[in-house]
Structure formats: C-alpha cells, structure tokens
Amino acid sequence: MEVGKRRKLPLCTKNSLQLFQIYQWMTQIQKNNSELVTQHFLGKTFENRTMYYLQISQPSNKPKKIIWMDCGIHAREWISPAFCQWFVKEILQNYKSDPKISRFLQNLDLYVLPVLNIDGYIYSWEEDRLWRKNRFPYENGTCYGTDLNRNFNSSWGSVGVSFNCSSDVFCGSGPESEPETRAVAQFIKSKKSDILCYLTIHSYGQLILTPYGSTTTPPSNNEELMQVAKEAAAALTGKYGTSYRVGSTALILYSNSGSSRDWVHTIGIPLSYTFELRDTGTHGFILPANQIQPTCEETMLAVTTIIDYVDKKYFPDGAVVLTSSSLGLSLCLSIVLTWTVS
C-alpha cells in the first residue's frame, strides 16, 4: 500500500526474536498435532533463511484439493503474519466443534506460509519499521530490495512499478528474479491442478481485491469472484461492523503488475484474492495492539466463508470418508500480540 515515512527502531530490538518465535510456534504446532499438521521446506531467502509452510491435512481415502494462504510478502505489514498464525490456531482448536471447518477439512488441505518475505520482515523489526521489500542487493549494494508483489510473471514490469532499485515498488531485474518469489511460484506451479483457491494477506485498506491489477478487463469468472468476495466481506462486517470494499485492484485501488494474485489466476487457479486488512489509514501499517485480535477474528469469518464456498462448489455431495478417527488437539500458540514503535 502507501509508502510511509521511514522509522528507525531502538537498538534494543536488534534481534531475530520474532522470527524465532514463529519458527518455534510452527515446530510446536506440528509436534502437538502430528497426525494433522506437517511442516515443509519451501525454499531459502537471499539471506539464507529457510521458508517453511504448514500443511493441515485430515487423513482421507480420496485425493483432496488445496487452499493456499500466504502472509507477510510485504515486510512492514505485521498484522499479516499474525493472521496466518491466528488462522492455524482457530482451525486446529475448532475443527471438531465447528461443522463448517470439520466438513471442509475432510475435502480440502490447507497450506499456510506464515511469512513469505522473512528477510524483509526481520529488517522491519531490527532496522526500519516501514521496510517493504526483500533484502536482495542491487547496483553493488547501493540499494536493496525488490517488491516481491511486483516480481511475479504476470504482465511483469508493465504498470505500477519502478525500475529504480531504490523505489518501494521496484519490480526486480526480471520476473521471478528473487529467490522468495521463485520458491513460491515453483511450488504453486507444481500443485496448480490441485489448488482451487489462493489467498494472500496484506495490509492496509480494508479491501478484498480480485484480479487484475494490470488491466481493467475482467477475468472470465469475474461474476463468481465478486459474489464470493462480497459474501466474505459481509461475514467480516457482521463481527464488528468493519466495512470492506470489494473489487479488482485496477478499479478500486491502483494499477499494478507482477502481483502474486494476478499470476496465480493467469496460470489457471480460479479463485484468487488479496486481503488488505485494517485499517484505512489512521494507523496504517502500525496497527495498535488492541486491534490485532479483532482484526484476526473478523478476517477469519471472511476467509472461512471463501473456503466454505470452495468446498460446497467442488464437493457438493458432502465429505469424503475419513480413514482415521478424530484427533485430540492441544496447542501452544506463541503469536505476537503486541508491538510498540518508538
């Protein structure tokens, strides 16, 4: 979203505690829910940090389809990784008691990448709270970082980008030039026949965005995309009254190219959405701690509305037969619920 004023953090925050906590959380989630959750290697960042995703999969005797969700493609959007953790927690705590979750888990596997842009995320904690990009050096280290959401191979470099590596919307040296982008793109391409829905979580603006950003020409399934997004926005509003706008990026936000959302749709994954979470600019990227939980709660309603739609569309006759009994769950959540900026 908008480019904000740069802000240095105090030296006392110079550590990778936040990333360590997320890694530790992922390990604990898998350990405590080993029959349901697996942790998988996705790739390496430029600074050689490991990208992991979680797979939530209920054992079944039939092939299942996939919902993909990624968070934290833009470093400064801290509410995004927090939501990915919240989403996993809620699924695991409630799938036995919530009929909607119980049903779609029998048909759909959930793949969750809690932090896509790990290097940038750490940099936003340690050095520059409003850093957006990854940390790949350009021009002999005189400037750093590519906007990973301008680096996918969908009308790459055509609109809403910069070729100046100092810009917040620098699109890289070519499509998928960045290791983080390549890791996600290669994995999604390998699974594209099974992925029915792609969700990427951002902030801020209170928007549910549909393809495309590079053109105002709507996709062939635009009516379906819009209807499902409107239902999701209505479910979200029903919690705390938060108002979300729905529409294509080019029509209700700004034109851009090379986004993950657009690329996913162009390779044949039918439902692809960007969520821009709270707020609309009062606090922007620096969302107060007391808004984190309500933001996650309302967003959960929107996301599960979309997943429920996918489940009912592709599995109209109900759930597949399980091969194992219900699983006992215990869960250790170390989600970061507070942050302060000096």
Side-chain angles (χ1 to χ4, degrees):
M1 296 286 298
E2 296 88 354
V3 176
K5 182 181 178 182
R6 296 295 175 217
R7 184 177 305 195
K8 285 280 187 178
L9 295 183
L11 290 176
C12 63
T13 66
K14 283 180 175 289
N15 57 70
S16 295
L17 177 62
Q18 287 71 36
L19 182 63
F20 172 75
Q21 287 180 332
I22 290 178
Y23 280 166
Q24 186 180 50
W25 167 81
M26 293 176 79
T27 301
Q28 195 66 48
I29 284 286
Q30 180 182 21
K31 180 180 177 181
N32 291 350
N33 305 279
S34 58
E35 295 183 69
L36 199 67
V37 179
T38 49
Q39 180 178 345
H40 300 273
F41 173 85
L42 183 69
K44 290 278 192 176
T45 68
F46 169 72
E47 293 180 341
N48 204 36
R49 294 185 173 98
T50 304
M51 302 169 68
Y52 295 110
Y53 68 91
L54 292 177
Q55 179 181 344
I56 303 175
S57 179
Q58 194 155 273
S60 169
N61 65 341
K62 294 183 181 179
K64 296 197 290 182
K65 297 297 185 180
I66 296 169
I67 306 289
W68 171 276
M69 179 189 297
D70 60 54
C71 294
I73 194 170
H74 288 145
R76 62 195 178 191
E77 298 169 8
W78 288 2
I79 188 62
S80 172
F83 175 71
C84 261
Q85 293 182 83
W86 184 272
F87 174 79
V88 171
K89 171 190 75 80
E90 288 292 296
I91 293 295
L92 296 178
Q93 284 186 340
N94 297 314
Y95 89 99
K96 289 197 293 184
S97 59
D98 186 321
K100 179 191 295 186
I101 296 174
S102 178
R103 185 185 62 250
F104 67 57
L105 270 189
Q106 295 176 36
N107 301 309
L108 301 167
D109 289 345
L110 308 177
Y111 287 50
V112 181
L113 177 61
V115 187
L116 194 161
N117 179 10
I118 300 172
D119 296 346
Y121 181 70
I122 294 303
Y123 193 77
S124 75
W125 279 91
E126 296 181 345
E127 296 288 344
D128 183 347
R129 172 62 183 88
L130 294 178
W131 186 258
R132 171 183 172 98
K133 303 181 289 180
N134 76 346
R135 292 294 299 162
F136 198 98
Y138 279 89
E139 297 184 4
N140 296 317
T142 59
C143 58
Y144 286 81
T146 291
D147 181 347
L148 299 177
N149 205 40
R150 301 293 184 274
N151 191 236
F152 285 82
N153 192 17
S154 175
S155 302
W156 179 85
S158 62
V159 64
V161 302
S162 174
F163 293 97
N164 177 354
C165 60
S166 296
S167 168
D168 262 1
V169 291
F170 174 57
C171 59
S173 58
E176 298 181 17
S177 62
E178 309 307 298
E180 300 88 351
T181 310
R182 284 197 305 275
V184 172
Q186 289 171 6
F187 180 80
I188 288 178
K189 279 185 283 190
S190 74
K191 298 282 188 181
K192 70 176 184 178
S193 61
D194 291 321
I195 300 174
L196 300 178
C197 180
Y198 172 83
L199 302 170
T200 183
I201 311 299
H202 292 240
S203 73
Y204 58 91
Q206 297 176 192
L207 306 165
I208 303 178
L209 300 172
T210 63
Y212 295 109
S214 58
T215 176
T216 56
T217 302
S220 59
N221 66 330
N222 188 60
E223 184 176 346
E224 177 187 32
L225 282 162
M226 287 294 294
Q227 182 58 40
V228 175
K230 287 176 181 177
E231 291 173 4
L236 185 154
T237 301
K239 183 68 175 177
Y240 294 111
T242 310
S243 177
Y244 268 57
R245 289 191 295 150
V246 172
S248 77
T249 307
L251 290 177
I252 72 167
L253 186 56
Y254 47 58
S255 295
N256 66 1
S257 56
S259 73
S260 63
R261 175 205 55 250
D262 286 3
W263 173 76
V264 162
H265 193 272
T266 62
I267 67 168
I269 296 170
L271 297 173
S272 181
Y273 295 104
T274 299
F275 275 74
E276 297 282 359
L277 304 185
R278 293 191 192 185
D279 56 10
T280 57
T282 302
H283 302 287
F285 302 114
I286 308 172
L287 196 67
N290 64 6
Q291 290 197 37
I292 299 169
Q293 182 167 333
T295 299
C296 290
E297 289 174 344
E298 66 191 10
T299 307
M300 188 74 188
L301 294 173
V303 167
T304 53
T305 295
I306 294 173
I307 298 173
D308 186 54
Y309 170 83
V310 174
D311 180 43
K312 289 177 177 176
K313 176 181 178 180
Y314 290 93
F315 299 91
D317 297 327
V320 296
V321 179
L322 296 185
T323 57
S324 68
S325 59
S326 297
L327 307 176
L329 298 178
S330 61
L331 165 41
C332 174
L333 178 68
S334 61
I335 185 172
V336 178
L337 284 179
T338 59
W339 51 69
T340 57
V341 179
S342 302

